[in-house]
Amino acid sequence: MTEFRRVHPLTPMLRGGGYVFAIALLAFNGMTSAALGLFRRLDLQVVGIVVALVAVAFLLSLLWWRVTTYTVTSTEVVFRHGLIAKKVRTARIDRAQAVEVVHPFVARLFGLALVRIETAGGMSSRIDIGYLRVSVATQLREEILYGEATEDPGEVVVPAIPLRRSLPAALCTYSGVTAIASTVIATGLDFSGAAFVPLILATGLQVWKFVDGAYQFTARKVDNTVLISYGLANLQRKTLRINRVHAVRMHQPPLWRLFGWWRVRVSVAGYGEGTTGMTVLPVGSKETATALIELLMGTVVDPRQPEDGLRSPGKAWLVSPVDWSRQRFVLSDTYAMEYRGRVGASCAVAFRRHIQLASVHIGPLDRLLGLSTVRLALVQGPVSVQARNLAMPQAWALLREI
Amino acid sequence: MSVRRWARLPALLALAVVALAVGWYLDQILLATVVGGPLLFLALWQWWLIPVQVRNHQWCELEEELVISSGKFWRTLSVIPYGRIQYVDVSQGPLERRYGLKALKLNTASPVGNTTIHGLDAELADALRERVAERAKVKMIDL
């Protein structure tokens, strides 16, 4: 287990992608002019320089490859690299927030992948080991997670999402509707259709991201972890440790109501890149969503709004004209839950023990009406829990309780 | 208080005066009022607002948590349990150094929340940092 292992020999080429491409282009250019019979001295010089460059690059990458090694022990992962400045990165396995296999596009062409170990603490607090053959990478991930490779397929919690569900779902989000509408308008108008191009591109990109993120999405439960895999262009595998989950949010965009679809996202410590965080269900039925939340949070959540719990008083319609009567906040011994939404619907659940801090916000209009919003701050991620537009005494009582 | 007044006001006032002067010089009343007027108004507004904001910016050390309040129109009140504090930043800009002030920021694992106390006297800021760090260590709660 403690021997040093090398990454795949193609690694330097993939890591230095751009440079390799530039040199290859230069070489190709030189070769073609040479082959065309333009044997001028200048071209020969160019060819000579290119050959020398390629040789030097090859030698350097060979040396670089020789010193790039990794080890997995029972407690930590060590990644060594660097030719002149030697760098050693170690991560304690019990501190790893998530271990995943990443398949960047170019590497995928060569059948290679990266193993990414996320640790809590900012943007650059991850270790990328690679590139490795996909089979080796998958094995390494399991080795890091379970001490040794397992072949346990686990229990399927989210069966593969078919394209016939993810594509319409993507088109029924705000971005999807905007993309369709702007395309229709742009083609309908003879003039100034070009003005819509940026809008179409931006929203189209969102739609693409959604389809990519939902393509062949599956989630399996193995021991205390949930393994997620998805991706059309970049095949991704993610591992979520159930005991690291701080909060989940179950959400339904307005048009999804027609189909009864829901989306589930989680906030995990150290996984807060972007506000998308970690999606554990891009689009699925209510049963799948609630089953998933039960698995992650240990409680059954009904997205229908409960009768009890804190709610905004009638005069709150002035600050929240649409949702005022559809906002509920429930605080139990273990959980804090927020329900909201009249057109769409959303339900967020957080563990009370993971609430980082609480704050009360009172805007100018709120003050006139005697209202205030209590926010519960969680680790960075897609989930936010707030008790919106409560009457002042209720808000203070809630704050005291928390 | 004076720090923020001096940090924000001179720029606004200077801009307003320049705009008015240029307008007057070019004999364009329109330019002077359109550009200089709002700037002058903003400067006067800030002249009034900053002291009020400073009066509302308070903190209170409780047994288990630190409470910070701020804002005049958009009021917030944050309750930060000591055990949730990951690390504490003390910062001092050039103007703050001139007046011997420091700002103290309490960082939790959450990126949101208003957790900075501005304009503390330097010694007070350092003493508060010591106290908070000590309590954070004693009461540390795992993520």
Side-chain angles (χ1 to χ4, degrees):
Chain A
M1 286 283 278
T2 48
E3 88 277 19
F4 282 92
R5 284 175 272 177
R6 294 222 165 96
V7 295
H8 196 274
L10 279 177
T11 303
M13 201 193 87
L14 289 169
R15 292 248 157 150
Y19 297 106
V20 175
F21 187 68
I23 291 175
L25 207 67
L26 220 71
F28 182 71
N29 197 10
M31 299 292 177
T32 42
S33 4
L36 281 171
L38 305 169
F39 276 103
R40 284 180 298 157
R41 212 194 274 144
L42 192 71
D43 286 332
L44 277 175
Q45 272 177 1
V46 169
V47 171
I49 290 169
V50 166
V51 168
L53 268 177
V54 169
V56 168
F58 182 75
L59 209 71
L60 275 178
S61 53
L62 195 71
L63 286 172
W64 187 86
W65 173 74
R66 273 183 58 88
V67 296
T68 307
T69 56
Y70 65 92
T71 323
V72 182
T73 69
S74 53
T75 52
E76 54 185 16
V77 182
V78 185
F79 184 58
R80 289 156 206 259
H81 61 117
L83 200 53
I84 297 157
K86 297 218 176 281
K87 289 172 197 156
V88 180
R89 264 206 144 174
T90 6
R92 287 177 54 86
I93 287 175
D94 56 352
R95 287 280 161 191
Q97 299 288 345
V99 184
E100 62 193 69
V101 177
V102 188
H103 302 247
F105 182 65
V106 183
R108 207 179 166 197
L109 295 179
F110 294 95
L112 301 179
L114 283 170
V115 173
R116 177 168 292 170
I117 302 153
E118 299 272 0
T119 53
M123 288 299 279
S124 56
S125 63
R126 55 161 74 135
I127 305 183
D128 280 345
I129 296 178
Y131 292 84
L132 305 169
R133 280 190 188 289
V134 172
S135 56
V136 179
T138 327
Q139 211 181 347
L140 176 64
R141 195 202 62 199
E142 309 219 320
E143 201 174 308
I144 293 168
L145 286 172
Y146 309 114
E148 61 204 49
T150 55
E151 289 301 315
D152 185 8
E155 174 198 345
V156 175
V157 282
V158 178
I161 295 173
L163 201 59
R164 70 186 143 78
R165 192 192 322 153
S166 57
L167 200 59
L171 295 177
C172 286
T173 56
Y174 290 116
S175 316
V177 171
T178 319
I180 294 172
S182 49
T183 315
V184 168
I185 295 171
T187 45
L189 291 175
D190 294 337
F191 59 98
S192 78
F196 286 97
V197 170
L199 192 64
I200 295 172
L201 281 181
T203 50
L205 194 69
Q206 290 296 318
V207 172
W208 160 251
K209 266 190 189 161
F210 184 90
V211 173
D212 184 35
Y215 186 77
Q216 287 297 317
F217 187 101
T218 39
R220 290 176 296 131
K221 179 183 180 282
V222 179
D223 298 333
N224 273 328
T225 57
V226 175
L227 308 181
I228 292 166
S229 69
Y230 62 87
L232 188 57
N234 295 325
L235 189 66
Q236 301 249 10
R237 283 167 213 276
K238 291 184 177 177
T239 305
L240 171 69
R241 295 189 173 188
I242 289 172
N243 57 1
R244 301 268 181 191
V245 173
H246 282 204
V248 301
R249 177 164 181 249
M250 183 172 171
H251 171 66
Q252 185 177 49
L255 280 174
W256 286 18
R257 271 179 95 153
L258 302 172
F259 308 94
W261 289 333
W262 292 83
R263 174 189 302 171
V264 182
R265 285 176 177 161
V266 295
S267 284
V268 190
Y271 217 103
E273 298 135 66
T275 45
T276 50
M278 204 170 194
T279 305
V280 288
L281 180 66
V283 48
S285 69
K286 193 172 135 187
E287 290 73 41
T288 321
T290 43
L292 204 56
I293 292 179
E294 190 183 356
L295 174 71
L296 296 173
M297 303 292 286
T299 180
V300 181
V301 171
D302 188 352
R304 265 181 319 197
Q305 306 210 340
E307 284 308 307
D308 53 345
L310 300 173
R311 51 183 295 186
S312 313
K315 56 192 170 181
W317 70 271
L318 281 164
V319 276
S320 174
V322 181
D323 281 346
W324 66 273
S325 68
R326 307 286 293 160
Q327 300 181 137
R328 295 281 194 290
F329 184 85
V330 181
L331 192 72
S332 72
D333 288 341
T334 355
Y335 307 102
M337 302 185 200
E338 183 203 353
Y339 301 83
R340 65 191 286 254
R342 179 188 292 281
V343 190
S346 148
C347 162
V349 188
F351 283 112
R352 271 182 81 174
R353 65 168 192 276
H354 287 315
I355 294 170
Q356 302 293 323
L357 64 101
S359 57
V360 182
H361 297 254
I362 308 164
L365 204 56
D366 288 336
R367 194 135 56 93
L368 284 176
L369 298 167
L371 298 175
S372 61
T373 294
V374 179
R375 284 189 201 158
L376 308 178
L378 300 163
V379 290
Q380 190 161 22
V383 187
S384 84
V385 180
Q386 307 188 18
R388 287 165 207 263
N389 317 121
L390 295 179
M392 218 64 110
Q394 273 183 326
W396 292 118
L398 179 62
L399 194 66
R400 207 159 293 130
E401 203 176 331
I402 291 166
Chain B
M1 172 165 123
S2 53
V3 170
R4 270 174 90 183
R5 215 179 227 183
W6 289 122
R8 273 195 206 170
L9 283 178
L12 283 170
L13 273 177
L15 279 172
V17 168
V18 165
L20 288 170
V22 168
W24 180 74
Y25 178 73
L26 296 174
D27 201 18
Q28 289 195 348
I29 308 298
L30 193 70
L31 178 78
T33 39
V34 167
V35 180
L39 283 171
L40 195 64
F41 174 75
L42 208 61
L44 290 175
W45 170 250
Q46 292 274 314
W47 182 269
W48 172 78
L49 184 64
I50 290 172
V52 179
Q53 277 184 334
V54 169
R55 206 166 51 230
N56 280 0
H57 190 34
Q58 297 170 343
W59 88 97
C60 173
E61 289 174 76
L62 299 178
E63 197 62 34
E64 293 290 328
E65 58 258 314
L66 193 88
V67 181
I68 301 174
S69 77
S70 56
K72 168 68 187 158
F73 288 97
W74 277 268
R75 284 193 184 169
T76 63
L77 182 117
S78 302
V79 181
I80 310 152
Y82 293 118
R84 295 291 185 187
I85 295 168
Q86 300 283 330
Y87 57 98
V88 183
D89 285 328
V90 179
S91 62
Q92 189 176 42
L95 271 170
E96 287 176 316
R97 185 170 307 137
R98 166 79 181 73
Y99 290 94
L101 299 176
K102 281 182 177 178
L104 188 75
K105 184 163 197 280
L106 311 168
N107 296 280
T108 64
S110 172
V112 297
N114 168 28
T115 58
T116 313
I117 310 174
H118 295 280
L120 292 166
D121 279 326
E123 301 92 67
L124 185 60
D126 289 331
L128 189 61
R129 184 189 62 79
E130 295 263 308
R131 278 206 298 277
V132 168
E134 184 55 40
R135 283 183 186 164
K137 205 160 67 189
V138 173
K139 303 203 157 111
M140 189 68 203
I141 310 168
D142 194 28
L143 274 182

